[in-house]
Amino acid sequence: GQPENITKYDITEANRIIEEFMLLCNETVAENFDWDDFPFIFRVHDKPDSEKMAGLNTFLKSIGFSLKSSGDVHPAELQKLIAQVKGSPMEHLVNTVILRSLKKAEYTPVNRGHFGLASEHYCHFTSPIRRYPDLMVHRLIKKKLSIGGEISPQNPRQMNLLTAHVFSISQSSSEMERKAEKAERDLVDHYKAAYMERHIGDTFTGVVSGVTGFGMFVELENTVEGLVKLGDLDGYYIFDRDNHALYMKSGPGRYTIGTVVKVRVVSVNINLGEVDMVVVREKGQGSSKKRSHNPKRKSNYKAKYNTHKRKHK
């Protein structure tokens, strides 16, 4: 009943091959239905806002990179940038900032293409035993085959009913997807916190995965993410939203996404799935603040912590 270990899922060449076949299959089914103008549930990913892309470009220029266009950005540009930073110290930072600049995919009866996959037609077809939209797509295929795709001229009322049904299911599926993701995230956080309870006082090396006005999130190698609160950093730090960084007002201290830090686990809240950490200074850099855990103090951060985690994930 207790987690024994946490490791990253190993992506092999076989996984990638299967993924490519699934993508191609989803595209083929969606394209076929889009041509026939038959009621359907598409998986769409809208183009990012031009303002967010302009902000992304401004940030990239500050660290030595840039996009050709800060307005109508093509997915290939982002892919090229990701390949350019792969393996560099900036990889984690750039990937995270790009991801946060994009919109969230959703289900809809109106095809608007999939920006992230650079696909004009896309749907979820390959997993009908675990996703309801996929099951509905299979049912729509069966319906289309049974009537030869000529539902509109023969029975416009049936077409209207089917169209309304598809619209309703698209909306509910998008909503339930968000709820399912939150439920999964909460469960994973619960067991990660349960695992880390046995490591209170232990020191780990991690990477800054997010910065906010109330502190920074640090992700360990085992994927556990904890919060280092602003008040637990040595010195007075200022939050730089545009550059995703915390910097010391009068001193050399600076933390940004991708910064490698050594941290110590100081407290865990299993029910909330939260892990608290403090930065451990190397010899010659001074020492991290020592503190005794105060449960009331944590509550001041609770709402902001959860809000940030939802956006970050």
Side-chain angles (χ1 to χ4, degrees), residues 183-221:
E184 180 182 357
R185 194 163 56 237
D186 288 348
L187 183 67
V188 171
D189 288 344
H190 172 88
Y191 281 108
K192 283 183 176 181
Y195 174 78
M196 293 305 293
E197 188 178 37
R198 305 199 298 268
H199 294 280
I200 291 177
D202 292 351
T203 301
F204 299 88
T205 298
V207 176
V208 175
S209 56
V211 290
T212 71
F214 57 89
M216 63 182 183
F217 288 87
V218 176
E219 184 177 302
L220 308 183
E221 189 176 353

Side-chain angles (χ1 to χ4, degrees), residues 67-133:
L67 298 171
K68 289 183 179 179
S69 170
S70 59
D72 189 15
V73 177
H74 192 275
E77 282 191 65
L78 298 178
Q79 190 174 18
K80 183 178 179 181
L81 176 63
I82 291 171
Q84 190 177 355
V85 300
K86 188 174 183 180
S88 75
M90 292 291 181
E91 180 179 7
H92 195 285
L93 172 60
V94 172
N95 287 349
T96 301
V97 176
I98 287 176
L99 188 62
R100 294 180 186 177
S101 301
L102 301 178
K103 292 186 177 180
K104 184 172 176 58
E106 62 179 356
Y107 298 104
T108 172
V110 180
N111 180 30
R112 300 194 300 269
H114 197 294
F115 177 83
L117 296 173
S119 178
E120 294 183 12
H121 315 85
Y122 197 70
C123 73
H124 277 168
F125 162 82
T126 53
S127 303
I129 64 171
R130 67 180 181 88
R131 271 192 316 231
Y132 188 58

Side-chain angles (χ1 to χ4, degrees), residues 147-206:
I147 60 175
E150 298 180 356
I151 188 172
S152 183
Q154 295 179 3
N155 194 337
R157 181 176 178 275
Q158 188 180 13
M159 175 64 112
N160 292 335
L161 287 173
L162 188 58
T163 300
H165 189 50
V166 165
F167 178 79
S168 174
I169 289 175
S170 297
Q171 283 192 318
S172 63
S173 294
S174 294
E175 181 182 352
M176 293 306 295
E177 178 186 27
R178 290 188 290 270
K179 291 182 178 180
E181 285 177 347
K182 183 183 183 305
E184 180 182 357
R185 194 163 56 237
D186 288 348
L187 183 67
V188 171
D189 288 344
H190 172 88
Y191 281 108
K192 283 183 176 181
Y195 174 78
M196 293 305 293
E197 188 178 37
R198 305 199 298 268
H199 294 280
I200 291 177
D202 292 351
T203 301
F204 299 88
T205 298

Side-chain angles (χ1 to χ4, degrees), residues 22 25-26 107 124-139 141:
M22 293 174 73
C25 184
N26 289 335
Y107 298 104
H124 277 168
F125 162 82
T126 53
S127 303
I129 64 171
R130 67 180 181 88
R131 271 192 316 231
Y132 188 58
D134 302 54
L135 179 60
M136 276 306 304
V137 167
H138 279 249
R139 289 173 175 172
I141 291 174

